Amino acid sequence: MLDLIIIGSGPAGLSAAIYGIRANLDVLVIEKDYEGTGQIALSSKVDNYLGLPGLDGYSMGEKFREHAVSFGVNFLEATVTEISQDEKDNHWIVKTASGEVKESKALIYATGAVHRHLGVPGEKTFDAKGVSYCATCDGAFYRGKTTAVVGGGDTALDDALYLSGLCEKVYLIHRRDAFRAAEITVNRVKEKENIELVLNSQVEEILGDERVNAVRLVGGRTLDINGIFIAAGSVPVTGVLDGVVELNPAGYIVADETGVTNKPGFFAAGDVRTKELRQVVTAVSDGANAATSAAHYIEKTFG
Ligand SMILES: Cc1cc2nc3c(=O)[nH]c(=O)nc-3n(C[C@H](O)[C@H](O)[C@H](O)COP(=O)(O)OP(=O)(O)OC[C@H]3O[C@@H](n4cnc5c(N)ncnc54)[C@H](O)[C@@H]3O)c2cc1C
């Protein structure tokens, strides 16, 4: 039996792995993506992580991963589909989509969060035909064209800024009249001449024939566009946790910064847990805390 299984190889999982190895634990990271580094790989530029200003998200993720690999962390590429706890000694049993079963004394759950859909007509029809959830992945296809970004948080404004460097024009559609993003980002957006703010507006339908060619807003205004980037928030990846551990009504694992949950030996780290600020710096910190909590738990419970 392993000491510690970590599910997810984003900043939280990789940080937990380094702390786990340094605490002399036998650690396995299970990750559903090939050599994954989590959501940060989607960011064009990360300016708010101490010591690494201006690095693109992909390179940052690679640095984190290289660090973990150099410390001897073991990885298994597999999607976790089932988690249960042994009734006798409380160890954890993890099953994957490919049928593997792994067992450990403690578990750190660090599966992050994924983008939210708008749920409007046309969104599904034109998925990957003009509808995108990742400006850094797909923005280059819209060089010199007109796009729209939907949302009012850091991701939406980050996407609009990134696209403004590629596209002729970018509409930023937000349902309120104020943004939730950092003030410095809001100011940068407002300074861009090719970003038009479309405030107090909601998308009613995404239109097109073969591909997206327009978006209709509630109230009837129609904007001619070649692509639309949806950045309407995220949902936690906790689908396999029903009945396993306490979740809040939005589906996040209820845990403070120690990572401790209502189940002994089950720790949560990163975007997947209840917290105010979902960022790399808090994910990395969570990973360190959760691994430390797990090491104490293993020592106390299994000796
Ligand atoms: C476009 C964008 C820009 C951003 N910009 C910034 C920024 O500038 N600064 C900043 O600090 N933060 C930024 N963030 C937020 C930051 O990326 C996240 O807060 C951080 O990545 C969270 O780390 P995490 O490890 O909790 O989760 P994630 O990074 O989401 O990693 C979770 C991992 O778990 C894996 N996983 C999920 N389910 C399973 C399963 N069933 N089995 C196995 N593995 C699974 C996933 O594949 C993934 O690798 C940005 C995010 C995005 C999307």
Side-chain angles (χ1 to χ4, degrees):
M1 187 175 6
L2 293 153
D3 290 324
L4 179 62
I5 291 175
I6 297 167
I7 305 172
S9 56
L14 293 173
S15 169
I18 288 167
Y19 274 75
I21 287 271
R22 282 173 54 86
N24 257 338
L25 301 179
D26 183 13
V27 177
L28 176 70
V29 176
I30 305 182
E31 51 176 354
K32 71 172 185 183
D33 304 313
Y34 171 71
E35 296 192 355
T37 56
Q39 295 168 63
I40 197 57
L42 303 177
S43 174
S44 55
K45 192 170 163 199
V46 184
D47 250 346
N48 52 7
Y49 190 80
L50 191 66
L52 298 173
L55 202 62
D56 66 278
Y58 182 85
S59 304
M60 175 175 269
E62 287 298 298
K63 271 184 184 290
F64 291 167
R65 191 177 175 96
E66 278 163 22
H67 189 169
V69 169
S70 74
F71 276 43
V73 173
N74 290 315
F75 292 89
L76 170 68
E77 190 191 330
T79 300
V80 170
T81 50
E82 206 182 310
I83 295 172
S84 57
Q85 192 171 24
D86 182 82
E87 283 173 8
K88 279 195 212 121
D89 72 352
N90 279 348
H91 78 263
W92 289 91
I93 304 159
V94 175
K95 294 186 181 158
T96 72
S98 44
E100 281 137 314
V101 179
K102 298 285 175 191
E103 303 190 21
S104 62
K105 295 171 185 166
L107 191 81
I108 294 179
Y109 202 83
T111 54
V114 291
H115 57 250
R116 190 189 295 281
H117 293 252
L118 289 180
V120 297
E123 184 179 17
K124 242 189 191 156
T125 318
F126 297 111
D127 191 6
K129 293 177 193 149
V131 173
S132 171
Y133 300 86
C134 176
T136 16
C137 316
D138 301 333
F141 299 127
Y142 299 91
R143 208 176 284 275
K145 298 194 169 165
T146 299
T147 55
V149 174
V150 185
D154 280 304
T155 304
L157 273 72
D158 193 39
D159 286 358
L161 283 170
Y162 177 69
L163 291 169
S164 74
L166 296 166
C167 302
E168 192 185 330
K169 179 165 183 111
V170 180
Y171 293 104
L172 179 55
I173 303 168
H174 181 40
R175 62 189 164 148
R176 302 191 209 287
D177 62 357
F179 294 107
R180 280 175 284 107
E183 207 178 316
I184 187 167
T185 315
V186 176
N187 291 338
R188 279 172 68 204
V189 164
K190 286 181 176 166
E191 280 163 14
K192 290 279 174 189
E193 284 184 359
N194 64 342
I195 299 180
E196 181 179 330
L197 304 184
V198 185
L199 303 178
N200 296 310
S201 299
Q202 289 190 55
V203 173
E204 187 171 70
E205 185 171 2
I206 297 167
L207 307 165
D209 36 56
E210 296 280 293
R211 296 183 56 84
V212 168
N213 58 27
V215 58
R216 190 172 56 239
L217 306 176
V218 174
R221 184 179 175 195
T222 300
L223 308 172
D224 291 333
I225 53 167
N226 304 105
I228 185 162
F229 291 84
I230 295 162
S234 59
V235 279
V237 183
T238 48
V240 302
L241 293 185
D242 267 353
V244 176
V245 68
E246 186 186 359
L247 306 177
N248 79 358
Y252 290 91
I253 301 171
V254 177
D256 67 11
E257 66 276 4
T258 62
V260 173
T261 68
N262 69 324
K263 285 293 165 70
F266 188 114
F267 302 89
D271 281 13
V272 77
R273 78 167 179 90
T274 47
K275 61 175 169 177
E276 282 295 314
L277 183 65
R278 294 193 169 85
Q279 289 276 277
V280 173
V281 69
T282 58
V284 163
S285 160
D286 279 3
N289 276 312
T292 305
S293 299
H296 289 156
Y297 166 82
I298 290 168
E299 174 67 27
K300 216 171 62 193
T301 313
F302 296 90

